[in-house]
Amino acid sequence: MVVIKLIFIIAVVSAIVYSLLKKYNPQSVLLFGGIVMVLGAMLFNWESSLVALDFMRKGKTTGSSFFDIFFHLQQLFSYRLGGLGLTIMAIGGFAHILSETGASNELVYYTVKPVSKIRNPYLLIGLFYIIGAFLSLFITSAVGLGLLCMVTIYPILTGLGVSPLSAVGMIITTECMDVGVLSTNTLRASEAAGVDIATYFTGHQLKIFIPTVLVVAIAHVFWQKYQDKKSSYVPSEHKASVDSFERKAPGIYALLPLVPFILILIFGRKDSALRIGVPTAMFVSTFVVIFFELVVKRKFKAIVEVMENYFAGMVKVFPAVSLIVCAGFFADGLIAIGAVEMLVNGSTALGFGGVAVTILMAFVIAFLAVLLGSGNAAFLSIIKLVPNIAANFGVTSLTKMIVPLNLVAGVGRSVSPIAAVVIACCDIAQVSPFDAIRRSAVPMAAGFITILVTSFLLL
């Protein structure tokens, strides 16, 4: 029976991987895969599943195991839309109004202005990567940050002689770690670790984020130079005058993206007398933007436009919420059929310890991110398994396992030819996504290794 179950799991997973590679809708594929997995769990003795009670939500049942599958899906949507889904949509709405008002552009302008006159093209690549990584703390959408960099940083780099592939290869990695109190993956990771999001960021993520950013920046410098030399690209032959930076908002707007970040850092801790969550911080920050718009434009219509853009931004990110729900349902299906138990038992039989299992799971998440083109979907489909895996292998510090898994998801997305950020940036630069990920592959490999090593040494 165990062998038959294993063959069934491999067949279903293979079909899902094939479908994703064929670019079928990932929500539909993952949802269908989850349903098939749960039906398989029923076929292979449902009552023996360790998570049968989870599907029944501690006794809540329709009275039919078959209908309970869809009841569980209903509860997943209800839970995600009211919690994580609301957070994602609140962040998406705020990010959209920052873009529409020009606040994001102002932040980039004042960040890049001090270093824009440096003439060494490869040193610029490293420096602009560090700037992009810093901006990722505030602009948590990989696509949003990537497109912003393509509009602002890309013309500066190419104007100074940087090859289009080198510039794009760097830009698609600026959000290679989902870090910061505004990140969806950070939010879910902190929940799984049992730590408030502000403490998780300052006390755990930053220890890994800072050295990894430096390593990736250095890797970009040498790898892009090597690749340009290999393709006979000479930067000095492609230098041009840098066009003036297009601005559409007052300089003080550069402070607006920092408002929610500051609010969460100050009031997001569990021990804070005044405590607010991420959605609340987004709503407060939105009204700060409205205030600025009223002062600058002196028209009531400014309020309407800001709110209209806010709601439009919320709608735009809803597909990410549905993807998270479907990925979570598929993960639940894997748990229900016993795939995780088989993984844990197999690892135990191989003599794996906590460190080895963490490395194995890091490779799994990165691989899923490459296949899905989404760091969120890869991480959120696995994170719920981590506490059980940690308990089975005697891992006493959940953060030591969760932090590296949290960070490598974005690394995998940065080398995925189907990732939205890769496709969008390559479309603007008119380069091949496969050529672009060859430019990002080695820096991301260096980042992957650095994340694991520093996690084991510093956490």
Side-chain angles (χ1 to χ4, degrees):
M1 183 66 74
V2 174
V3 175
I4 297 175
K5 182 192 290 189
L6 180 61
I7 294 173
F8 178 84
I9 293 171
I10 292 174
V12 174
V13 171
S14 297
I16 290 172
V17 170
Y18 173 80
S19 299
L20 293 172
L21 288 174
K22 296 293 287 185
K23 299 182 180 180
Y24 295 163
N25 178 265
Q27 287 96 325
S28 303
V29 171
L30 291 170
L31 179 60
F32 181 74
I35 292 174
V36 173
M37 284 292 187
V38 176
L39 289 174
M42 293 180 180
L43 180 65
F44 296 105
N45 195 357
W46 166 265
E47 290 76 14
S48 68
S49 171
L50 292 179
V51 293
L53 287 179
D54 181 56
F55 270 81
M56 304 306 175
R57 292 295 183 192
K58 297 180 179 179
K60 292 181 180 179
T61 175
T62 62
S64 163
S65 294
F66 178 75
F67 288 141
D68 280 337
I69 297 174
F70 303 97
F71 179 58
H72 181 67
L73 182 61
Q74 169 202 318
Q75 292 185 311
L76 271 179
F77 265 105
S78 177
Y79 172 71
R80 290 302 184 201
L81 288 175
L84 187 59
L86 175 61
T87 299
I88 294 172
M89 289 190 288
I91 293 172
F94 185 68
H96 191 59
I97 63 173
L98 289 181
S99 175
E100 291 299 310
T101 59
S104 295
N105 275 25
E106 288 304 301
L107 177 62
V108 173
Y109 173 75
Y110 282 106
T111 305
V112 305
K113 188 177 180 181
V115 297
S116 62
K117 295 185 179 182
I118 297 175
R119 299 303 178 186
N120 185 313
Y122 300 108
L123 180 59
L124 271 174
I125 289 173
L127 288 175
F128 274 92
Y129 171 75
I130 293 174
I131 291 170
F134 168 73
L135 292 175
S136 73
L137 298 176
F138 312 101
I139 305 170
T140 56
S141 165
V143 179
L145 179 57
L147 292 178
L148 185 61
C149 289
M150 288 301 297
V151 172
T152 55
I153 293 176
Y154 179 80
I156 296 174
L157 288 175
T158 54
L160 293 174
V162 173
S163 70
L165 275 175
S166 290
V168 172
M170 178 275 291
I171 287 172
I172 62 177
T173 67
T174 50
E175 191 89 34
C176 72
M177 289 178 284
D178 293 307
V179 175
V181 294
L182 304 180
S183 165
T184 300
N185 279 4
T186 296
L187 177 68
R188 184 64 188 91
S190 65
E191 290 175 353
V195 181
D196 66 81
I197 191 169
T199 300
Y200 179 79
F201 169 61
T202 58
H204 303 288
Q205 276 190 334
L206 278 182
K207 292 179 181 178
I208 313 304
F209 177 72
I210 294 173
T212 303
V213 165
L214 295 176
V215 169
V216 172
I218 294 170
H220 268 303
V221 170
F222 289 100
W223 181 243
Q224 305 310 335
K225 182 177 182 179
Y226 169 77
Q227 287 293 306
D228 279 350
K229 186 176 180 180
K230 186 178 177 181
S231 62
S232 301
Y233 183 92
V234 182
S236 60
E237 296 178 357
H238 298 271
K239 282 188 178 181
S241 59
V242 181
D243 294 332
S244 59
F245 194 98
E246 184 180 352
R247 302 170 65 191
K248 61 178 182 179
I252 196 171
Y253 273 46
L255 298 176
L256 294 180
L258 308 181
V259 174
F261 185 78
I262 294 171
L263 286 174
I264 298 248
L265 280 182
I266 297 175
F267 303 117
R269 295 179 178 274
K270 289 182 178 179
D271 57 355
S272 174
L274 176 61
R275 191 174 175 211
I276 63 175
V278 175
T280 304
M282 293 300 113
F283 298 149
V284 172
S285 301
T286 298
F287 277 87
V288 172
V289 174
I290 288 175
F291 173 77
F292 273 73
E293 286 285 272
L294 276 175
V295 171
V296 172
K297 297 181 179 178
R298 299 180 182 180
K299 293 181 181 179
F300 177 77
K301 187 179 179 182
I303 298 178
V304 178
E305 290 177 344
V306 170
M307 294 310 302
E308 182 180 355
N309 285 323
Y310 188 86
F311 293 128
M314 293 182 77
V315 172
K316 284 177 67 176
V317 298
F318 182 76
V321 179
S322 65
L323 180 58
I324 288 168
V325 172
C326 294
F329 190 79
F330 175 64
D332 285 343
L334 284 173
I335 299 171
I337 200 170
V340 177
E341 296 172 54
M342 296 175 73
L343 173 64
V344 171
N345 293 336
S347 301
T348 303
L350 293 172
F352 281 7
V355 172
V357 168
T358 301
I359 294 173
L360 174 63
M361 296 301 293
F363 274 103
V364 170
I365 287 178
F367 179 67
L368 283 175
V370 173
L371 290 179
L372 295 172
S374 168
N376 284 350
F379 178 70
L380 295 173
S381 65
I382 297 295
I383 185 60
K384 62 174 64 182
L385 315 180
V386 172
N388 287 337
I389 293 174
N392 273 278
F393 288 93
V395 177
T396 55
S397 173
L398 269 178
T399 54
K400 195 158 191 166
M401 178 175 281
I402 289 174
V403 172
L405 301 185
N406 172 192
L407 301 183
V408 299
V411 171
R413 178 189 59 225
S414 298
V415 290
S416 171
I418 63 171
V421 62
V422 175
I423 294 171
C425 291
C426 290
D427 184 61
I428 292 174
Q430 292 296 292
V431 298
S432 164
F434 292 95
D435 289 338
I437 63 173
R438 276 196 285 270
R439 293 300 187 109
S440 68
V442 169
M444 289 299 90
F448 183 90
I449 294 170
T450 305
I451 288 169
L452 291 178
V453 171
T454 53
S455 294
F456 295 138
L457 293 177
L458 301 179
L459 296 180

